[in-house]
Amino acid sequence: QKEVEQNSGPLSVPEGAIASLNCTYSDRGSQSFFWYRQYSGKSPELIMSIYSNGDKEDGRFTAQLNKASQYVSLLIRDSQPSDSATYLCAVNYRDYKLSFGAGTTVTVRA
Amino acid sequence: EAGVVQSPRYKIIEKKQPVAFWCNPISGHNTLYWYRQNLGQGPELLIRYENEEAVDDSQLPKDRFSAERLKGVDSTLKIQPAELGDSAVYLCASSSRDSSSYNEQFFGPGTRLTVL
């Protein structure tokens, strides 16, 4: 069983819509959760960190964490063509190890 | 603040040849990571350093891979000899042990290795 699973995508949304990305993880002891954006041919870029249950908003991005359900999500509001990328969910396990999902590719169509 | 620096950005070699990658982390970051990312997958940790000590190298294929971080700053990852399956992007990341950061890791641009 994979430690971190993401909806496989690809996800296509019209410009201005909300893109919703989901991620589940297997280790209940996980303490911190991250979303990275990766443009084609580029390295992962940290866009959101969340540590407590609930919502965290940063501009057009909202991360949601539910530790009881072992679930973390990312919402992208008012999606723009520049949001087209692969989004990686990462979970911090014991001892500073980050485990990544395979990523969800988002395409925002104009 | 300068980000993580890696070189080279691209490397093409023939199988059985050696190759080395270099990384300079963000200033003040004690923890340095080497990851490998295959196409369509997330990064996978190869080795983690706390200052100059390798504290997690369980995923490093030690028969052909080696790494060092002699002065607790720059690091080098080496493959000798390279195999076709080593073709991937090799990413370096760093983080601070500041308790407020909860291990936010920042990546360098990566080295794309092609083994022919």
Side-chain angles (χ1 to χ4, degrees), chain B residues 56-103:
Chain B
D56 184 356
D57 63 357
S58 57
Q59 301 303 311
L60 191 71
K62 298 181 184 63
D63 56 336
R64 298 183 299 106
F65 286 64
S66 64
E68 61 183 15
R69 193 185 185 198
L70 293 175
K71 297 184 179 179
V73 180
D74 296 7
S75 177
T76 302
L77 177 69
K78 298 179 181 177
I79 308 175
Q80 183 172 7
E83 296 179 353
L84 295 177
D86 295 332
S87 294
V89 176
Y90 290 82
L91 295 162
C92 179
S94 69
S95 67
S96 167
R97 283 199 73 96
D98 177 357
S99 60
S100 66
S101 75
Y102 284 83
N103 190 31

Short mmCIF file of all heavy atoms in Angstrom, two decimals, chain B residues 56-103:
data_model
loop_
_atom_site.label_atom_id
_atom_site.label_comp_id
_atom_site.label_asym_id
_atom_site.label_seq_id
_atom_site.Cartn_x
_atom_site.Cartn_y
_atom_site.Cartn_z
N ASP B 56 20.07 9.22 7.48
CA ASP B 56 19.13 8.31 6.85
C ASP B 56 19.62 8.04 5.43
O ASP B 56 19.46 8.87 4.55
CB ASP B 56 17.72 8.90 6.82
CG ASP B 56 16.69 7.92 6.24
OD1 ASP B 56 17.09 6.82 5.79
OD2 ASP B 56 15.50 8.26 6.25
N ASP B 57 20.23 6.90 5.24
CA ASP B 57 20.68 6.50 3.90
C ASP B 57 20.11 5.15 3.51
O ASP B 57 20.69 4.42 2.70
CB ASP B 57 22.21 6.51 3.79
CG ASP B 57 22.85 5.50 4.72
OD1 ASP B 57 22.13 4.83 5.50
OD2 ASP B 57 24.08 5.36 4.67
N SER B 58 19.00 4.79 4.13
CA SER B 58 18.43 3.46 3.93
C SER B 58 17.98 3.22 2.49
O SER B 58 17.89 2.07 2.06
CB SER B 58 17.26 3.26 4.88
OG SER B 58 16.28 4.25 4.70
N GLN B 59 17.68 4.26 1.75
CA GLN B 59 17.21 4.11 0.37
C GLN B 59 18.33 4.32 -0.65
O GLN B 59 18.07 4.31 -1.85
CB GLN B 59 16.07 5.09 0.10
CG GLN B 59 14.87 4.92 1.02
CD GLN B 59 14.31 3.52 0.95
OE1 GLN B 59 14.06 2.99 -0.13
NE2 GLN B 59 14.11 2.90 2.10
N LEU B 60 19.53 4.53 -0.20
CA LEU B 60 20.66 4.76 -1.12
C LEU B 60 21.24 3.41 -1.56
O LEU B 60 21.66 2.61 -0.72
CB LEU B 60 21.74 5.57 -0.42
CG LEU B 60 22.87 6.12 -1.29
CD1 LEU B 60 22.35 7.24 -2.17
CD2 LEU B 60 24.02 6.59 -0.42
N PRO B 61 21.27 3.15 -2.87
CA PRO B 61 21.87 1.89 -3.36
C PRO B 61 23.38 1.93 -3.18
O PRO B 61 24.11 2.45 -4.03
CB PRO B 61 21.47 1.86 -4.85
CG PRO B 61 20.40 2.89 -5.01
CD PRO B 61 20.68 3.94 -3.97
N LYS B 62 23.84 1.39 -2.09
CA LYS B 62 25.21 1.63 -1.68
C LYS B 62 26.26 0.91 -2.53
O LYS B 62 27.45 1.22 -2.43
CB LYS B 62 25.37 1.25 -0.21
CG LYS B 62 24.50 2.10 0.72
CD LYS B 62 24.70 1.74 2.16
CE LYS B 62 23.76 2.52 3.06
NZ LYS B 62 22.34 2.22 2.78
N ASP B 63 25.80 -0.02 -3.37
CA ASP B 63 26.79 -0.69 -4.21
C ASP B 63 27.34 0.25 -5.28
O ASP B 63 28.48 0.09 -5.73
CB ASP B 63 26.18 -1.93 -4.87
CG ASP B 63 24.93 -1.62 -5.67
OD1 ASP B 63 24.26 -0.59 -5.39
OD2 ASP B 63 24.60 -2.40 -6.58
N ARG B 64 26.56 1.25 -5.67
CA ARG B 64 27.01 2.13 -6.73
C ARG B 64 26.89 3.61 -6.40
O ARG B 64 27.47 4.45 -7.08
CB ARG B 64 26.24 1.84 -8.02
CG ARG B 64 26.43 0.44 -8.56
CD ARG B 64 25.70 0.22 -9.87
NE ARG B 64 24.24 0.42 -9.71
CZ ARG B 64 23.59 1.47 -10.14
NH1 ARG B 64 24.24 2.42 -10.80
NH2 ARG B 64 22.28 1.56 -9.97
N PHE B 65 26.12 3.94 -5.40
CA PHE B 65 25.90 5.34 -5.03
C PHE B 65 26.70 5.66 -3.77
O PHE B 65 26.80 4.85 -2.85
CB PHE B 65 24.42 5.60 -4.73
CG PHE B 65 23.54 5.65 -5.94
CD1 PHE B 65 23.35 4.53 -6.74
CD2 PHE B 65 22.86 6.81 -6.28
CE1 PHE B 65 22.51 4.58 -7.85
CE2 PHE B 65 22.02 6.86 -7.38
CZ PHE B 65 21.85 5.74 -8.16
N SER B 66 27.23 6.89 -3.76
CA SER B 66 27.88 7.39 -2.56
C SER B 66 27.60 8.88 -2.44
O SER B 66 27.29 9.55 -3.44
CB SER B 66 29.38 7.13 -2.57
OG SER B 66 29.99 7.84 -3.64
N ALA B 67 27.69 9.38 -1.24
CA ALA B 67 27.44 10.81 -1.01
C ALA B 67 28.35 11.28 0.11
O ALA B 67 28.80 10.50 0.95
CB ALA B 67 25.98 11.06 -0.67
N GLU B 68 28.61 12.57 0.07
CA GLU B 68 29.38 13.16 1.16
C GLU B 68 28.96 14.60 1.38
O GLU B 68 28.48 15.27 0.47
CB GLU B 68 30.88 13.07 0.89
CG GLU B 68 31.35 13.78 -0.36
CD GLU B 68 32.84 13.58 -0.60
OE1 GLU B 68 33.45 12.68 -0.01
OE2 GLU B 68 33.40 14.35 -1.41
N ARG B 69 29.19 15.04 2.61
CA ARG B 69 28.93 16.44 2.98
C ARG B 69 29.98 16.79 4.03
O ARG B 69 29.71 16.86 5.21
CB ARG B 69 27.51 16.61 3.54
CG ARG B 69 27.09 18.06 3.64
CD ARG B 69 25.72 18.20 4.31
NE ARG B 69 25.29 19.60 4.29
CZ ARG B 69 24.34 20.08 5.07
NH1 ARG B 69 23.72 19.31 5.96
NH2 ARG B 69 24.01 21.36 5.00
N LEU B 70 31.20 16.96 3.55
CA LEU B 70 32.36 16.97 4.42
C LEU B 70 32.35 18.10 5.44
O LEU B 70 32.70 17.92 6.60
CB LEU B 70 33.63 17.02 3.58
CG LEU B 70 33.90 15.76 2.74
CD1 LEU B 70 35.12 15.95 1.86
CD2 LEU B 70 34.07 14.56 3.66
N LYS B 71 31.97 19.29 5.08
CA LYS B 71 32.03 20.43 6.00
C LYS B 71 30.65 20.87 6.44
O LYS B 71 30.49 21.97 6.97
CB LYS B 71 32.78 21.59 5.34
CG LYS B 71 34.24 21.26 5.03
CD LYS B 71 34.98 22.46 4.47
CE LYS B 71 36.44 22.13 4.20
NZ LYS B 71 37.18 23.27 3.62
N GLY B 72 29.66 20.03 6.21
CA GLY B 72 28.31 20.34 6.66
C GLY B 72 27.61 21.40 5.84
O GLY B 72 26.60 21.94 6.28
N VAL B 73 28.14 21.70 4.63
CA VAL B 73 27.47 22.69 3.78
C VAL B 73 27.19 22.03 2.42
O VAL B 73 26.15 21.40 2.24
CB VAL B 73 28.30 23.97 3.63
CG1 VAL B 73 27.57 24.98 2.75
CG2 VAL B 73 28.56 24.59 5.00
N ASP B 74 28.15 22.14 1.49
CA ASP B 74 27.98 21.53 0.17
C ASP B 74 27.92 20.02 0.28
O ASP B 74 28.48 19.42 1.20
CB ASP B 74 29.17 21.89 -0.73
CG ASP B 74 29.26 23.37 -1.01
OD1 ASP B 74 28.48 24.12 -0.41
OD2 ASP B 74 30.13 23.76 -1.80
N SER B 75 27.29 19.43 -0.73
CA SER B 75 27.24 17.96 -0.77
C SER B 75 27.45 17.49 -2.20
O SER B 75 27.12 18.19 -3.17
CB SER B 75 25.89 17.48 -0.26
OG SER B 75 25.79 16.06 -0.36
N THR B 76 27.98 16.28 -2.31
CA THR B 76 28.18 15.65 -3.62
C THR B 76 27.57 14.27 -3.59
O THR B 76 27.74 13.53 -2.62
CB THR B 76 29.68 15.53 -3.96
OG1 THR B 76 30.27 16.83 -3.95
CG2 THR B 76 29.86 14.91 -5.33
N LEU B 77 26.83 13.93 -4.62
CA LEU B 77 26.27 12.60 -4.81
C LEU B 77 26.94 11.98 -6.04
O LEU B 77 27.03 12.63 -7.07
CB LEU B 77 24.75 12.68 -5.05
CG LEU B 77 24.02 11.37 -5.33
CD1 LEU B 77 24.00 10.49 -4.08
CD2 LEU B 77 22.59 11.64 -5.79
N LYS B 78 27.43 10.78 -5.88
CA LYS B 78 28.16 10.12 -6.98
C LYS B 78 27.51 8.79 -7.32
O LYS B 78 27.01 8.08 -6.44
CB LYS B 78 29.62 9.89 -6.58
CG LYS B 78 30.40 11.16 -6.29
CD LYS B 78 31.83 10.85 -5.87
CE LYS B 78 32.60 12.14 -5.56
NZ LYS B 78 33.98 11.86 -5.09
N ILE B 79 27.56 8.47 -8.59
CA ILE B 79 27.13 7.15 -9.07
C ILE B 79 28.30 6.56 -9.86
O ILE B 79 28.85 7.19 -10.76
CB ILE B 79 25.90 7.24 -10.00
CG1 ILE B 79 24.78 8.05 -9.36
CG2 ILE B 79 25.40 5.83 -10.33
CD1 ILE B 79 23.58 8.27 -10.28
N GLN B 80 28.69 5.35 -9.47
CA GLN B 80 29.77 4.68 -10.19
C GLN B 80 29.65 3.16 -10.03
O GLN B 80 29.77 2.68 -8.89
CB GLN B 80 31.12 5.15 -9.67
CG GLN B 80 32.31 4.55 -10.42
CD GLN B 80 33.63 5.18 -10.03
OE1 GLN B 80 33.72 5.98 -9.10
NE2 GLN B 80 34.67 4.82 -10.74
N PRO B 81 29.42 2.42 -11.11
CA PRO B 81 29.14 2.88 -12.46
C PRO B 81 27.65 3.13 -12.66
O PRO B 81 26.82 2.52 -12.00
CB PRO B 81 29.59 1.68 -13.30
CG PRO B 81 29.26 0.50 -12.42
CD PRO B 81 29.49 0.96 -11.00
N ALA B 82 27.33 4.01 -13.59
CA ALA B 82 25.93 4.30 -13.87
C ALA B 82 25.30 3.17 -14.69
O ALA B 82 25.97 2.53 -15.52
CB ALA B 82 25.81 5.63 -14.61
N GLU B 83 24.02 2.96 -14.45
CA GLU B 83 23.24 1.98 -15.21
C GLU B 83 22.09 2.70 -15.92
O GLU B 83 21.74 3.82 -15.55
CB GLU B 83 22.68 0.91 -14.26
CG GLU B 83 23.75 0.08 -13.59
CD GLU B 83 23.17 -0.96 -12.64
OE1 GLU B 83 21.94 -0.95 -12.41
OE2 GLU B 83 23.97 -1.80 -12.13
N LEU B 84 21.52 2.03 -16.89
CA LEU B 84 20.44 2.64 -17.67
C LEU B 84 19.30 3.09 -16.76
O LEU B 84 18.71 4.16 -16.95
CB LEU B 84 19.91 1.65 -18.72
CG LEU B 84 20.88 1.26 -19.82
CD1 LEU B 84 20.24 0.23 -20.74
CD2 LEU B 84 21.35 2.46 -20.62
N GLY B 85 19.01 2.30 -15.74
CA GLY B 85 17.90 2.61 -14.84
C GLY B 85 18.15 3.79 -13.93
O GLY B 85 17.24 4.21 -13.20
N ASP B 86 19.34 4.34 -13.96
CA ASP B 86 19.64 5.51 -13.13
C ASP B 86 19.17 6.80 -13.79
O ASP B 86 19.23 7.87 -13.16
CB ASP B 86 21.14 5.60 -12.86
CG ASP B 86 21.67 4.44 -12.04
OD1 ASP B 86 20.88 3.87 -11.24
OD2 ASP B 86 22.86 4.09 -12.20
N SER B 87 18.73 6.73 -15.01
CA SER B 87 18.22 7.92 -15.69
C SER B 87 17.03 8.47 -14.91
O SER B 87 16.04 7.77 -14.69
CB SER B 87 17.79 7.59 -17.12
OG SER B 87 18.90 7.21 -17.91
N ALA B 88 17.14 9.71 -14.49
CA ALA B 88 16.14 10.33 -13.63
C ALA B 88 16.56 11.77 -13.39
O ALA B 88 17.60 12.21 -13.86
CB ALA B 88 16.02 9.59 -12.30
N VAL B 89 15.74 12.48 -12.62
CA VAL B 89 16.14 13.80 -12.13
C VAL B 89 16.59 13.66 -10.68
O VAL B 89 15.87 13.09 -9.86
CB VAL B 89 14.99 14.82 -12.24
CG1 VAL B 89 15.40 16.16 -11.64
CG2 VAL B 89 14.56 15.00 -13.69
N TYR B 90 17.75 14.18 -10.39
CA TYR B 90 18.30 14.12 -9.03
C TYR B 90 18.15 15.49 -8.41
O TYR B 90 18.67 16.49 -8.90
CB TYR B 90 19.75 13.65 -9.06
CG TYR B 90 19.82 12.19 -9.45
CD1 TYR B 90 19.78 11.81 -10.80
CD2 TYR B 90 19.85 11.19 -8.48
CE1 TYR B 90 19.78 10.46 -11.16
CE2 TYR B 90 19.85 9.86 -8.83
CZ TYR B 90 19.82 9.50 -10.18
OH TYR B 90 19.81 8.17 -10.53
N LEU B 91 17.38 15.50 -7.33
CA LEU B 91 17.01 16.75 -6.67
C LEU B 91 17.70 16.85 -5.32
O LEU B 91 17.76 15.89 -4.56
CB LEU B 91 15.50 16.80 -6.44
CG LEU B 91 14.63 16.85 -7.69
CD1 LEU B 91 13.20 16.44 -7.35
CD2 LEU B 91 14.66 18.23 -8.30
N CYS B 92 18.17 18.04 -5.03
CA CYS B 92 18.71 18.34 -3.71
C CYS B 92 17.72 19.28 -3.02
O CYS B 92 17.13 20.17 -3.67
CB CYS B 92 20.07 19.00 -3.84
SG CYS B 92 20.85 19.45 -2.26
N ALA B 93 17.52 19.09 -1.74
CA ALA B 93 16.64 19.96 -0.97
C ALA B 93 17.31 20.27 0.36
O ALA B 93 18.21 19.54 0.81
CB ALA B 93 15.27 19.31 -0.75
N SER B 94 16.86 21.35 0.99
CA SER B 94 17.39 21.66 2.31
C SER B 94 16.27 22.18 3.20
O SER B 94 15.22 22.64 2.70
CB SER B 94 18.54 22.66 2.24
OG SER B 94 18.10 23.95 1.85
N SER B 95 16.49 22.07 4.49
CA SER B 95 15.52 22.57 5.45
C SER B 95 16.24 23.03 6.71
O SER B 95 17.38 22.64 6.97
CB SER B 95 14.47 21.51 5.79
OG SER B 95 15.05 20.42 6.50
N SER B 96 15.54 23.83 7.49
CA SER B 96 16.06 24.31 8.75
C SER B 96 15.48 23.47 9.87
O SER B 96 14.35 23.00 9.78
CB SER B 96 15.66 25.78 8.94
OG SER B 96 15.89 26.19 10.27
N ARG B 97 16.23 23.31 10.95
CA ARG B 97 15.70 22.57 12.10
C ARG B 97 14.92 23.47 13.04
O ARG B 97 14.55 23.08 14.12
CB ARG B 97 16.82 21.87 12.86
CG ARG B 97 17.31 20.62 12.18
CD ARG B 97 18.05 19.73 13.15
NE ARG B 97 17.16 19.08 14.09
CZ ARG B 97 16.68 17.85 13.94
NH1 ARG B 97 17.00 17.17 12.87
NH2 ARG B 97 15.90 17.31 14.85
N ASP B 98 14.64 24.67 12.60
CA ASP B 98 13.78 25.57 13.35
C ASP B 98 12.45 24.87 13.61
O ASP B 98 11.78 24.44 12.69
CB ASP B 98 13.56 26.85 12.52
CG ASP B 98 12.62 27.83 13.18
OD1 ASP B 98 12.07 27.52 14.26
OD2 ASP B 98 12.43 28.91 12.62
N SER B 99 12.04 24.77 14.87
CA SER B 99 10.85 24.00 15.21
C SER B 99 9.58 24.59 14.61
O SER B 99 8.60 23.89 14.43
CB SER B 99 10.69 23.92 16.73
OG SER B 99 10.58 25.23 17.28
N SER B 100 9.61 25.85 14.26
CA SER B 100 8.41 26.46 13.71
C SER B 100 8.20 26.10 12.25
O SER B 100 7.15 26.33 11.70
CB SER B 100 8.48 27.99 13.84
OG SER B 100 9.53 28.49 13.04
N SER B 101 9.22 25.54 11.60
CA SER B 101 9.12 25.28 10.17
C SER B 101 8.54 23.90 9.86
O SER B 101 8.19 23.64 8.72
CB SER B 101 10.49 25.41 9.51
OG SER B 101 11.29 24.29 9.81
N TYR B 102 8.47 23.02 10.88
CA TYR B 102 7.91 21.68 10.66
C TYR B 102 8.50 21.02 9.43
O TYR B 102 7.80 20.34 8.70
CB TYR B 102 6.39 21.75 10.55
CG TYR B 102 5.71 21.93 11.87
CD1 TYR B 102 5.58 23.19 12.43
CD2 TYR B 102 5.20 20.85 12.57
CE1 TYR B 102 4.96 23.37 13.64
CE2 TYR B 102 4.57 21.01 13.79
CZ TYR B 102 4.44 22.27 14.32
OH TYR B 102 3.83 22.45 15.52
N ASN B 103 9.77 21.23 9.21
CA ASN B 103 10.46 20.54 8.12
C ASN B 103 9.99 20.94 6.73
O ASN B 103 9.77 20.08 5.87
CB ASN B 103 10.36 19.02 8.29
CG ASN B 103 11.26 18.28 7.32
OD1 ASN B 103 12.31 18.77 6.95
ND2 ASN B 103 10.84 17.10 6.89
#
